[in-house]
Amino acid sequence: MPERDSSTKWIFVTGGVLSGLGKGLVSASVSKLLEQRDLKVVPIKCDGYLNVDPGTMNPHEHGEVFVLEDGTEVDMDFGHYERFLDVKGKGDWNLTSGKIFQRVIDRERKGEYLGQTVQMVPHVTDEIKDWWRNIATEEDADIVIVEVGGTVGDMENQFYLEAARQMRGEEETYLIHTTLVPYLETTGEQKTKPTQHSVKALREVGLEPDMVVGRSEKELDEKTKEKIALFCDVDENEVVSDPNLDTVYRIPMMFDDQGVDETIARELDLPERDDGMKDWRERVGNLVSEPVAKVAICGKYTDMDDSYASVEEALKHAAAELGGSVEIEYVSTEGIEPEELDEMDGIVIPGGFGSRGVEGKIDAIEYCRENDIPLLGLCYGLQLMVVEYARNVLGLEAASEEFGNGHEEMVVAELPGQKGIEEKGGTMRLGAYTAELEGRVKEVYGSSTASERHRHRYEVNPEYHEKLEENGLSISGTMQDRELAEYVELEDHRFFIGTQAHPEFNSSFQSPNPLYLAFLEATK
Ligand code: GLN
């Protein structure tokens, strides 16, 4: 076992009743408040699924795949952490059952457990505890907040809960249990039974909550709080309302008003806090005021879900910086009439994969280019901007290898390093890379370089760089001696910029991404 930093304190966040209660937001909000005490807070997320990372899952089922600086594809909860906190997450901070089992089985094959029967307890649970403690030591963390994904009672997360139970006996810990408190219209009551049952399930695995957070439509009323306190063996100030709010950025403020971090600080004996939340509160105020712009995100499906979470949040961060909110509309590009875009102040063509909806996106790009409508192209968005330009300005029968039929000129082609890769997990060009900038993007970033995160297999085909530039589409951000096109832009346009990266992964509520900021400014 690694030498542990005994000063680290541990907060566990579990969930009951059902999934999707926003445990990630609870963890991020509590962490935000604790950060105001000048503490280094490191978030860890534990997922039950057997995928090694979420990169191979369907984002329409599981939500957006978030990419970290180091190129690891992680659960979208990391997006909340990075947007709320002053941290850049690391791949190791997202445990999955896939990662844990892979490690235990590797050890077994190497003979590290020779002579032993390898078991869930203690071998798997030890592996988890070591993993957690290694992070605490490596990061020199004051607080580690461990969010256990899923719901108490699930088969999938049992061994994380067992590891947490053991930690409760070995370290200074605090446990926040998030549950659902439904409102029954017929009796006009908030019902606490599901919470009681989920705390019972928690007790069955040897855990007692220190705080119960009740997700509900409205704030918990006094009677409900009393009841939960009584049945769950917590004080009334340890029962916390987590009602529906106008913006998720209000959650830390709402927890603050209920003294959540005061309570935790008392229990864990944490230092005094300064009031760094003033700027945060101001930004929340902006975010619920008049919109500064109406922006369309042009995607593949009509029922847009969590797949563009970071894009949406990055737009909000920029708006709050500019003193207002942003109205976002999702427009499906399957069967789109580009004139629909007339009422928009700006258009985002987000990242994507495959051929569905591609022609509609290309039509939308053409419309923005010709009608001087601000356009921000992200990853696939940049690639399609290049295809559109090649078709309509260069007059080529152009496509990308990703969707072409093989006869066109492939102005977007597989990255050299991608050829012949058959495995799909974690094999794209992933993580942060630094581009050399010129032109407008150089002004936008206020620097001759920009580091942003990537997640792609294809790139602008270098054979066409010259032709594109000669005809007015400038490749204003590059890498590897201009071999890779990282940014493209049009000079005589209000805003027509595409990036091969995903700058939305690098935007937080209190420091918006420069490219998003410039885009939103241009829409005004
Ligand atoms: N499908 C494109 C590629 O793999 C774009 C990926 C993306 O938008 N994230 O290169």
Side-chain angles (χ1 to χ4, degrees):
M1 204 190 294
E3 188 65 12
R4 80 183 166 82
D5 172 9
S6 58
S7 67
T8 302
K9 299 182 177 173
W10 299 80
I11 298 176
F12 291 96
V13 180
T14 57
V17 187
L18 41 86
S19 61
L21 291 179
K23 281 195 301 285
L25 285 164
V26 170
S27 308
S29 301
V30 167
S31 305
K32 181 77 218 168
L33 291 174
L34 294 175
E35 246 184 20
Q36 310 307 314
R37 291 172 189 268
D38 205 17
L39 296 168
K40 176 150 187 205
V41 185
V42 174
I44 295 180
K45 169 89 198 279
C46 302
D47 285 309
Y49 48 75
L50 286 165
N51 304 62
V52 169
D53 63 47
T56 51
M57 293 195 268
N58 182 352
H60 294 281
E61 244 168 57
H62 194 78
E64 173 193 69
V65 175
F66 194 79
V67 181
L68 301 176
E69 298 265 291
D70 66 13
T72 319
E73 298 170 285
V74 289
D75 185 89
M76 66 180 289
D77 275 333
F78 274 84
H80 299 314
Y81 299 146
E82 292 203 1
R83 290 189 283 269
F84 276 55
L85 305 176
D86 273 327
V87 301
K88 297 274 174 241
K90 296 188 185 152
D92 271 355
W93 302 1
N94 190 187
L95 277 72
T96 65
S97 299
K99 281 188 197 172
I100 296 286
F101 290 143
Q102 197 172 48
R103 214 184 254 202
V104 172
I105 290 168
D106 280 349
R107 279 190 203 278
E108 189 276 335
R109 289 292 84 185
K110 278 193 204 136
E112 287 184 31
Y113 309 111
L114 225 49
Q116 300 175 45
T117 309
V118 183
Q119 292 179 300
M120 294 296 260
V121 185
H123 299 97
V124 172
T125 47
D126 276 353
E127 192 64 53
I128 293 169
K129 290 194 297 174
D130 282 357
W131 197 309
W132 289 342
R133 285 188 170 119
N134 274 330
I135 294 171
T137 311
E138 256 166 46
E139 301 300 326
D140 200 12
D142 297 308
I143 307 261
V144 174
I145 185 158
V146 181
E147 180 195 343
V148 180
T151 308
V152 176
D154 290 351
M155 187 187 286
E156 288 197 322
N157 58 21
Q158 288 277 348
F159 47 91
Y160 292 123
L161 294 173
E162 169 57 19
R165 188 195 64 77
Q166 294 174 20
M167 290 284 277
R168 297 275 268 165
E170 299 162 10
E171 307 278 352
E172 232 183 305
T173 65
Y174 194 84
L175 195 148
I176 302 175
H177 186 61
T178 308
T179 77
L180 178 73
V181 182
Y183 175 76
L184 210 60
E185 207 136 336
T186 44
T187 56
E189 269 181 311
Q190 289 178 327
K191 305 303 282 183
T192 63
K193 194 70 84 190
T195 300
Q196 295 178 40
H197 276 293
S198 79
V199 169
K200 200 170 150 213
L202 201 58
R203 287 185 178 136
E204 275 165 17
V205 296
L207 291 168
E208 288 275 347
D210 295 309
M211 180 176 276
V212 176
V213 174
R215 269 296 282 131
S216 54
E217 243 165 84
K218 301 217 174 74
E219 277 182 40
L220 302 180
D221 50 47
E222 269 319 300
K223 219 178 87 209
T224 308
K225 282 193 170 186
E226 273 171 33
K227 220 169 164 181
I228 293 177
L230 177 70
F231 280 105
C232 304
D233 273 328
V234 292
D235 288 338
E236 247 176 82
N237 65 340
E238 289 161 342
V239 182
V240 176
S241 290
D242 187 7
N244 294 347
L245 294 172
D246 46 5
T247 159
V248 295
Y249 298 103
R250 196 184 290 287
I251 305 174
M253 289 157 56
M254 199 229 0
F255 282 1
D256 195 14
D257 296 342
Q258 296 179 74
V260 166
D261 78 314
E262 244 349 284
T263 304
I264 298 174
R266 219 177 305 121
E267 291 299 318
L268 289 180
D269 198 16
L270 303 175
E272 287 295 304
R273 105 169 221 205
D274 58 21
D275 206 4
M277 290 301 285
K278 195 166 152 269
D279 172 70
W280 186 278
R281 284 178 184 264
E282 268 169 29
R283 285 172 195 267
V284 171
N286 292 347
L287 213 48
V288 296
S289 65
E290 287 300 301
V292 294
K294 188 171 176 184
V295 172
I297 300 178
C298 293
K300 179 149 80 160
Y301 297 162
T302 26
D303 52 339
M304 299 299 174
D305 37 40
D306 273 344
S307 356
Y308 303 123
S310 293
V311 176
E312 204 177 309
E313 296 309 315
L315 287 168
K316 289 182 193 164
H317 303 158
E321 173 97 3
L322 296 177
S325 63
V326 55
E327 201 181 321
I328 297 171
E329 209 168 290
Y330 281 103
V331 176
S332 169
T333 49
E334 289 165 80
I336 189 183
E337 296 294 336
E339 294 73 27
E340 286 171 43
L341 303 175
D342 268 342
E343 50 172 303
M344 300 291 166
D345 300 313
I347 309 295
V348 176
I349 307 283
F353 294 85
S355 56
R356 230 174 110 184
V358 155
E359 292 303 326
K361 286 185 194 173
I362 293 174
D363 291 346
I365 293 168
E366 179 181 10
Y367 195 76
C368 291
R369 185 175 55 75
E370 290 191 333
N371 294 286
D372 207 24
I373 301 172
L375 177 96
L376 175 62
L378 306 165
C379 201
Y380 211 14
L382 169 141
Q383 297 172 1
L384 297 176
M385 283 163 81
V386 168
V387 172
E388 188 278 326
Y389 209 80
R391 284 186 187 174
N392 299 325
V393 180
L394 274 57
L396 303 176
E397 201 188 317
S400 158
E401 284 180 2
E402 190 164 358
F403 61 82
N405 60 24
H407 301 302
E408 303 98 333
E409 305 217 29
M410 297 302 175
V411 295
V412 175
E414 240 180 347
L415 281 152
Q418 289 289 327
K419 300 220 185 338
I421 294 183
E422 299 283 336
E423 274 192 34
K424 291 287 181 234
T427 54
M428 283 186 255
R429 178 171 182 244
L430 288 163
Y433 291 96
T434 302
E436 312 280 331
L437 307 180
E438 305 158 11
R440 181 148 173 203
V441 287
K442 185 173 169 181
E443 269 167 53
V444 164
Y445 280 94
S447 164
S448 54
T449 61
S451 166
E452 299 286 11
R453 302 179 200 178
H454 293 66
R455 183 172 190 254
H456 63 119
R457 282 184 214 290
Y458 300 87
E459 59 159 349
V460 181
N461 187 341
E463 285 172 29
Y464 292 89
H465 284 189
E466 217 177 292
K467 235 184 189 159
L468 290 163
E469 295 218 272
E470 280 168 7
N471 286 280
L473 187 69
S474 137
I475 299 178
S476 56
T478 54
M479 257 192 70
Q480 292 172 9
D481 292 331
R482 304 190 52 87
E483 266 302 288
L484 290 182
E486 297 282 19
Y487 291 83
V488 302
E489 63 182 74
L490 272 187
E491 226 172 84
D492 294 322
H493 196 284
R494 279 169 66 202
F495 191 101
F496 192 86
I497 298 183
T499 169
Q500 188 53 74
H502 290 278
E504 60 274 15
F505 292 144
N506 205 354
S507 178
S508 74
F509 191 41
Q510 289 175 296
S511 36
N513 183 280
L515 193 61
Y516 276 81
L517 197 57
F519 165 67
L520 219 55
E521 245 172 342
T523 62
K524 289 205 290 185

